[in-house]
Amino acid sequence: MSERKSAKRLDVVVIGAGFAGLYALHRLRKDGYSVRVLEAGKSIGGTWYWNRYPGARCDIESMQYSYSFSDEIQREWKWSQLYAPQPEILSYINFVADKLDLRRDIQLETRVVAATFDEQSRTWKVRTEAGEAFEAPFCVMATGCLSVPIVPTFPGMEKFEGEVYRTSDWPHEGVQLKGKRVGLVGTGSSGIQVTPVLAEQAEHLYVFQRTPNYSIPALNRPMDEEYEQAWKQNYPERRKAALATRINALSDFGTVPGSSVSYEEREREFERRWTKVGGFGFVHGYTDIMTDPAVNAHASEFVRKKIAALVHDPEVAKKLMPSDYGIGGKRICVDTAYFETFNRNNVTLIDVKSDPIRSFKPNGLSTQTQSFELDTVILAIGFDAITGALLKIDITGRDGLKLRDRWADGPKNYIGMAVSGFPNMFMITGPGSPSVFTNMVASIEQHVDWIADCIAHLKRKGVSSIEALPEAEEKWVSHVNEVANATLMPKGNSWYVGANIPGKPRVFMPYLAGAHVYKKAIEDVASKDYEGFGLA
Ligand code: NAP
């Protein structure tokens, strides 16, 4: 155990230097507070620092998946493609950090292991892995929704003599795959993005798929100059309009329910969206696509027909078709030539639902019935989503209450930013907020601004602590559940409900009423003197 040093005192401690932590630092520093950002990684960027696998790119258009708080920055930065690849997003984050001189208040390679609220001094005491201590009245958890990768537990993995990589912490120097027999485990968003690139590099690629996913072509393309200029010249209005949508982003939203039009009309609309709009825009056509079983079934069937048309071998196509849940029941994927990749001679799909991976061996892995010789295994098996990063830290609130105990049956929270029993601790894009169903950068800015305004309010009123009231929390959690249960989305075994982590309580974590509804809810709370919170 390292030596304990005396605690550094600050106004606000921020944990995490991704999009959220960086903007929190900028905004709170601008408001006059002393702030320190503690970041486990060797550099800034969070999700975009770690997930540097080939093919990684954003699923929201870059003109929108970017900070809006500085008109100078949004006009100055130039995106090369409609959907920026990971290296470009990381360069952008670094550009912003330099431009705003953020680095001087960011401490890298500093993993926070514990945060404890001291009631007497009303301060959070934050401890790092190296034994360093920080104290501040406010603690902001900018720890990310998808930042704790699942640790694989395949039997015999230690015996495998080849190389094993995870998409979630891909080596910085890259990976040489030429002439290699590569096994990819996992076909979620990461697996679907990396597959076409691996297929181009590997001698042979074996894709081990447990559950097929609905994936929509991104229709990514180089940035069109005119399109970019239209955004840059109209940024303030467009950003404002984006915040009035349910995903904090502009899209080609339909305004009528799919149930109000004929099957043929829906079919034409799905076709237009598949070929001309792409990405998540495919499901934005009708207002009831996630609530009306018949409309959802039609959209799901449409995707299956596309898979059948794209994949030459009908048996492979069938395996790639999701059949036991509807579109949206798991996170919809967005791809560039994913299904087409299975037409290559050097790509084999293995269905590990019917024939699960049994164990690794020195030169590959075995399923129940087959054996595969592999040089390299790539794991794209997902994350302990939304609550994982928070629960990894030993967080203790008032009266010695542990967040791990408080959340034993699911993440109780108030408006996705606070937890009763944990005063002055704020979560950015926490459970109970729209988070992963929105343009994350916009939702992050919204949370940071709300939190900074809240701290300013406390200062003005001369009070030093704010805490969610249990009854307000209870009401919010029931509301979040009620909204989710009115949709078809909790039905899938997705990470939204924690189904990918054995033993995780099955609770639909994000708030589904829409970002615009949520915006009004949190603005109302603030305007009513922080209704639902106790101020002391
Ligand atoms: P994921 O969606 O959770 O996918 C994990 C995959 O690994 C699933 O196919 C899962 O199968 C499989 N898997 C897990 N354990 C397995 C096992 N023991 N044997 C066989 N297969 C196993 O994880 P992800 O692809 O990393 O994506 C997570 C989220 O990150 C996405 O949903 C998205 O929100 C975000 N993301 C975004 C982007 C983007 O914006 N472009 C890119 C990547 C990721 P089951 O489905 O059967 O569990």
Side-chain angles (χ1 to χ4, degrees):
M1 173 118 174
S2 345
E3 182 196 339
R4 292 290 280 273
K5 298 155 197 143
S6 66
K8 294 181 185 68
R9 284 200 68 87
L10 301 152
D11 293 325
V12 190
V13 171
V14 175
I15 305 174
F19 266 110
L22 296 180
Y23 180 51
L25 169 59
H26 173 65
R27 169 71 206 259
L28 292 164
R29 210 168 64 175
K30 200 160 89 118
D31 287 0
Y33 306 116
S34 60
V35 185
R36 180 74 57 92
V37 178
L38 307 176
E39 164 58 51
K42 284 194 173 136
S43 186
I44 61 170
T47 291
W48 296 105
Y49 169 79
W50 297 105
N51 292 269
R52 50 180 73 215
Y53 58 86
R57 71 176 66 250
C58 189
D59 281 353
I60 301 268
E61 287 188 21
S62 300
M63 294 311 295
Q64 306 203 58
Y65 190 86
S66 47
Y67 289 125
S68 71
F69 65 84
S70 158
D71 201 40
E72 189 189 334
I73 289 175
Q74 65 185 2
R75 279 168 186 271
E76 189 176 341
W77 183 261
K78 235 181 133 40
W79 296 106
S80 69
Q81 300 174 31
L82 192 60
Y83 296 97
Q86 173 272 337
E88 196 168 316
I89 301 175
L90 191 58
S91 300
Y92 165 77
I93 292 171
N94 278 278
F95 158 80
V96 174
D98 288 334
K99 181 118 187 147
L100 303 174
D101 188 21
L102 297 180
R103 294 184 205 273
R104 67 184 153 90
D105 289 315
I106 302 170
Q107 192 168 317
L108 301 171
E109 296 184 80
T110 303
R111 182 173 288 285
V112 170
V113 291
T116 306
F117 187 68
D118 180 75
E119 286 179 68
Q120 261 196 332
S121 59
R122 291 191 174 177
T123 52
W124 279 94
K125 293 180 185 285
V126 171
R127 190 163 48 79
T128 72
E129 204 168 39
E132 241 183 310
F134 297 86
E135 285 181 12
F138 297 98
C139 184
V140 174
M141 299 294 180
T143 41
C145 288
L146 293 153
S147 47
V148 177
I150 291 176
V151 177
T153 53
F154 297 104
M157 261 193 97
E158 68 291 347
K159 290 193 210 124
F160 181 56
E161 287 164 4
E163 293 159 326
V164 179
Y165 301 102
R166 291 192 296 185
T167 47
S168 52
D169 50 13
W170 195 257
H172 288 217
E173 62 281 10
V175 176
Q176 179 52 258
L177 295 173
K178 200 165 184 288
K180 300 266 173 77
R181 296 160 300 177
V182 177
L184 168 70
V185 184
T187 53
S189 296
S190 305
I192 280 178
Q193 284 190 335
V194 80
T195 291
V197 190
L198 296 181
E200 276 172 18
Q201 297 173 359
E203 181 188 298
H204 200 96
L205 174 66
Y206 298 90
V207 178
F208 296 91
Q209 170 196 271
R210 195 163 62 183
T211 310
N213 263 305
Y214 292 94
S215 189
I216 315 296
L219 310 183
N220 187 31
R221 49 197 178 270
M223 183 61 72
D224 175 82
E225 180 73 25
E226 232 175 273
Y227 184 77
E228 180 191 359
Q229 283 316 315
W231 266 97
K232 288 193 169 173
Q233 279 153 23
N234 297 288
Y235 251 138
E237 308 89 87
R238 288 192 181 189
R239 296 283 200 186
K240 194 166 168 225
L243 296 182
T245 69
R246 60 193 140 97
I247 56 165
N248 277 343
L250 296 182
S251 180
D252 182 357
F253 291 112
T255 53
V256 296
S259 55
S260 70
V261 301
S262 69
Y263 181 91
E264 291 69 28
E265 188 175 333
R266 281 203 306 259
E267 187 77 2
R268 276 193 300 276
E269 183 60 4
F270 289 145
E271 180 66 25
R272 182 184 79 80
R273 285 176 179 271
W274 182 276
T275 54
K276 301 266 187 309
V277 180
F280 296 135
F282 177 74
V283 288
H284 294 157
Y286 297 109
T287 53
D288 56 353
I289 204 160
M290 295 303 156
T291 49
D292 186 306
V295 179
N296 185 274
H298 186 180
S300 307
E301 187 53 31
F302 183 91
V303 177
R304 284 192 287 271
K305 278 193 294 192
K306 284 294 179 192
I307 298 171
L310 288 168
V311 179
H312 300 159
D313 181 333
E315 267 183 43
V316 176
K318 191 145 196 298
K319 282 189 204 162
L320 286 165
M321 293 176 194
S323 56
D324 57 358
Y325 68 101
I327 190 165
K330 283 164 98 81
R331 206 281 205 162
I332 296 167
C333 300
V334 177
D335 72 273
T336 298
Y338 173 66
F339 294 116
E340 297 87 321
T341 297
F342 292 92
N343 295 330
R344 295 176 65 116
N345 292 329
N346 71 332
V347 178
T348 306
L349 178 71
I350 301 104
D351 172 8
V352 293
K353 184 156 269 171
S354 62
D355 185 14
I357 296 173
R358 197 180 51 202
S359 62
F360 276 63
K361 51 185 186 161
N363 64 347
L365 65 77
S366 303
T367 63
Q368 301 291 349
T369 67
Q370 299 177 76
S371 186
F372 299 89
E373 290 193 1
L374 304 168
D375 303 301
T376 306
V377 169
I378 293 170
L379 301 171
I381 57 175
F383 299 86
D384 184 354
I386 302 183
T387 52
L390 292 156
L391 293 176
K392 211 173 162 190
I393 300 171
D394 182 15
I395 301 178
T396 311
R398 263 193 310 106
D399 305 323
L401 182 66
K402 297 273 182 197
L403 188 66
R404 287 170 188 162
D405 294 333
R406 186 81 177 77
W407 281 4
D409 298 326
K412 299 276 188 309
N413 69 86
Y414 181 46
I415 58 171
M417 281 189 273
V419 186
S420 157
F422 298 80
N424 292 6
M425 181 186 89
F426 297 103
M427 303 176 293
I428 299 184
T429 62
S433 78
S435 67
V436 293
F437 279 95
T438 66
N439 170 7
M440 284 296 274
V441 185
S443 293
I444 281 167
E445 287 185 324
Q446 177 187 51
H447 271 182
V448 169
D449 288 334
W450 192 96
I451 292 163
D453 291 346
C454 173
I455 295 176
H457 178 84
L458 302 181
K459 301 270 171 203
R460 267 196 309 274
K461 286 197 78 150
V463 296
S464 57
S465 106
I466 180 163
E467 181 185 340
L469 299 173
E471 54 275 21
E473 187 177 78
E474 197 77 19
K475 218 166 131 193
W476 181 257
V477 171
S478 322
H479 173 58
V480 171
N481 286 335
E482 200 182 315
V483 171
N485 291 334
T487 75
L488 302 165
M489 300 176 90
K491 293 196 189 330
N493 283 323
S494 67
W495 56 256
Y496 299 140
V497 293
N500 62 336
I501 306 287
K504 193 164 171 171
R506 192 177 174 112
V507 173
F508 196 92
M509 294 181 278
Y511 180 51
L512 280 183
H516 55 320
V517 176
Y518 177 75
K519 179 174 184 285
K520 187 168 178 324
I522 63 171
E523 283 172 358
D524 279 355
V525 167
S527 71
K528 293 179 187 155
D529 199 13
Y530 293 86
E531 188 179 46
F533 284 96
L535 273 54

